[in-house]
Amino acid sequence: MDDEKTITEQAMDTITTAVEATKDAAVTAVKKVKKAAKKVAKKVAPKKAKKASKKKAAKKSSKKAAKKTSKKSAKKTAKKASKKTAKKVAKKKKAKKAER
């Protein structure tokens, strides 16, 4: 301690240096916590994004599958209907020939 400075000045100096040191320590601690939080967020976020993308992909694939099955069933019914009408027409022609 300096003999030239009064006790109050010396006390104020030590208090200000302590305050500055604690402030610096707090700032570095906050920076470290933010950095750690970012790392955790990077690790956690892709998993959530993957789950969400899987759900979206599942929805899309189910919609596509539904469209495909509806198209296929529509084609099948159209083919069946055309075959039935062709058979009916053939029967009518045979009936007309039999009448002659």
Side-chain angles (χ1 to χ4, degrees):
M1 297 279 174
D2 291 331
D3 291 331
E4 296 171 7
K5 289 185 181 178
T6 61
I7 295 172
T8 54
E9 284 180 343
Q10 290 175 5
M12 288 298 293
D13 286 342
T14 53
I15 290 170
T16 53
T17 55
V19 166
E20 287 176 2
T22 53
K23 180 184 137 190
D24 292 340
V27 168
T28 55
V30 167
K31 284 182 181 177
K32 286 182 181 179
V33 169
K34 282 185 180 179
K35 209 175 210 182
K38 283 182 182 179
K39 282 184 181 178
V40 170
K42 281 183 182 178
K43 287 182 181 177
V44 172
K47 290 178 184 176
K48 287 185 179 179
K50 284 180 184 177
K51 285 183 182 179
S53 66
K54 282 182 183 178
K55 286 181 183 178
K56 286 182 182 178
K59 281 184 181 179
K60 283 185 179 180
S61 64
S62 65
K63 283 183 181 180
K64 283 184 181 179
K67 282 184 180 179
K68 283 183 181 179
T69 54
S70 65
K71 283 183 180 179
K72 284 182 181 179
S73 63
K75 284 182 181 178
K76 284 182 182 178
T77 53
K79 282 183 180 179
K80 286 182 183 178
S82 64
K83 285 181 182 178
K84 284 183 182 178
T85 53
K87 285 182 182 178
K88 285 181 183 178
V89 168
K91 282 184 182 178
K92 284 182 182 179
K93 284 184 180 178
K94 284 183 183 177
K96 283 185 181 178
K97 283 185 180 177
E99 285 178 7
R100 289 184 193 169

